[in-house]
Amino acid sequence: MDFSGLIDNFGPLTVTGLAQGAIIALFALGYTLVYGVLRLINFAHSEVFLMGTYACLIVWGFFGLDQNSAAPSVGGMLLYLVIGLVVAIIASGVTALAVEVVAYRPLRRRNAPPLAFLITAIGASLFISELTGVLTHRNQRGVPPIIQAKPLFTIGDTTVTNLQLLIIVLALVMMFVLDRFINGSRLGRGIRAVSQNPDSAALMGVNKSRVIALVFLLGGLMAGIAAVMYDLKIGVTRYDAGFLLGIDAFAAAVLGGIGNLRGALLGGLLLGVLQNYAAGLFGSQWLHAASFVLLVVILLFRPTGLLGESLGRARA
């Protein structure tokens, strides 16, 4: 154990962990939204994220950009970033809706048991992942340097880059927008009503199928944003990119209180920081192992998570 390395690099590890945690938090929102309404762990959500990582790369490729391209100007960077975000959001949103319509909706109509949903979720995840692997020949694909990481400011011995600040601020903004939507809009009230009592919500005129489709769509939109930020931060993607990050996101959702939007944000940021501390203390090979250890600890001692409120009971 390298305590001196952890102490010496405490600031950089914290900032890097917050940036990684912001991506995990955006990813985790999809898990917590679906669970909050359906009490279902959507294991195919990792592939919803995966589609976003490839969609932005494909559209950037249409502009002649690859990992060997020169960094664009400020105007070009903003243009490519917005285009990549829009395309990734659409791709992930459409994938999430397709999973709901093709895989889950027929099961709901037949009142299938929970085990059928679990098996279907795992099957959908494997199908999309392996199909992507076949189409990409299981090769790693580089990301164009849309944003070059440059120091913005320094606090003590900790330097914060423009990319790290963008990821953290974007995650906080999207969390605020989603929270306002869920707690302040008519559609959000429908989501909370179905989460609390689906039968009573149906009697009040709430269309349960539309609400469920909206929940999957919202989770897909958040996953699309996370996918672009992941590409820019990591610099590469491949057909199984969503697997380990999906486990991290699930652990973050459970840590914060699965079914709780703010819990997903808190869990993601905490997990990202704790992962980096574990990597600094035990070595980089413990980065993702820390998620497994933390997940087991949380499930043993506080299975409701840190905040523990369900989506339907979450306060504005």
Side-chain angles (χ1 to χ4, degrees):
M1 291 188 291
D2 186 9
F3 285 103
S4 61
L6 174 61
I7 295 173
D8 293 340
N9 296 291
F10 185 81
L13 288 173
T14 301
V15 174
T16 304
L18 287 174
Q20 179 68 9
I23 297 173
I24 294 173
L26 286 171
F27 197 155
L29 288 172
Y31 285 116
T32 209
L33 278 168
V34 173
Y35 182 84
V37 173
L38 290 177
R39 299 298 184 269
L40 164 71
I41 303 299
N42 179 24
F43 287 107
H45 188 61
S46 57
E47 278 58 54
V48 171
F49 164 85
L50 178 66
M51 292 299 100
T53 65
Y54 276 101
C56 60
L57 291 183
I58 292 172
V59 73
W60 288 335
F62 288 155
F63 291 96
L65 300 175
D66 58 28
Q67 67 269 28
N68 298 316
S69 300
S73 62
V74 175
M77 175 196 71
L78 293 175
L79 177 63
Y80 294 141
L81 180 60
V82 171
I83 292 175
L85 283 170
V86 170
V87 172
I89 286 172
I90 292 174
S92 292
V94 169
T95 303
L97 281 176
V99 169
E100 195 281 317
V101 172
V102 176
Y104 299 135
R105 186 171 297 181
L107 296 178
R108 291 204 315 275
R109 288 175 177 171
R110 293 176 173 83
N111 293 319
L115 183 59
F117 284 91
L118 176 62
I119 294 172
T120 301
I122 296 173
S125 174
L126 291 174
F127 172 77
I128 298 174
S129 177
E130 289 303 309
L131 179 61
T132 304
V134 171
L135 294 177
T136 60
H137 306 289
R138 306 186 188 275
N139 291 328
Q140 186 171 273
R141 182 163 179 175
V143 178
I146 302 298
I147 300 178
Q148 279 191 326
K150 297 180 180 179
L152 280 183
F153 56 88
T154 301
I155 303 175
D157 61 346
T158 303
T159 300
V160 180
T161 68
N162 53 348
L163 182 56
Q164 290 171 334
L165 187 63
L166 171 65
I167 294 172
I168 295 171
V169 170
L170 185 59
L172 294 175
V173 169
M174 294 312 302
M175 180 63 229
F176 176 78
V177 171
L178 183 60
D179 185 79
R180 291 294 85 210
F181 177 80
I182 295 294
N183 290 287
S185 68
R186 181 181 177 185
L187 291 174
R189 288 194 296 272
I191 292 174
R192 287 185 286 125
V194 173
S195 175
Q196 286 180 334
N197 194 316
D199 296 330
S200 297
L203 291 174
M204 296 298 293
V206 178
N207 189 316
K208 181 179 176 181
S209 294
R210 290 182 182 177
V211 167
I212 292 173
L214 175 61
V215 165
F216 273 86
L217 178 62
L218 290 174
L221 300 184
M222 297 299 110
I225 297 172
V228 177
M229 296 300 103
Y230 173 87
D231 279 349
L232 294 176
K233 182 178 184 297
I234 304 301
V236 295
T237 191
R238 50 176 289 160
Y239 76 100
D240 58 354
F243 176 70
L244 285 177
L245 197 66
I247 295 175
D248 292 341
F250 176 66
V254 174
L255 174 62
I258 191 163
N260 187 304
L261 295 179
R262 297 177 183 181
L265 177 65
L266 176 63
L269 294 176
L270 279 177
L271 182 62
V273 172
L274 291 175
Q275 279 185 332
N276 268 24
Y277 290 166
L281 187 61
F282 300 107
S284 59
Q285 67 271 19
W286 282 87
L287 183 67
H288 294 289
S291 300
F292 289 94
V293 174
L294 185 60
L295 179 60
V296 171
V297 171
I298 289 296
L299 289 175
L300 284 175
F301 297 101
R302 190 173 173 82
T304 58
L306 296 177
L307 301 185
E309 290 182 332
S310 68
L311 181 63
R313 297 176 182 173
R315 298 181 181 89

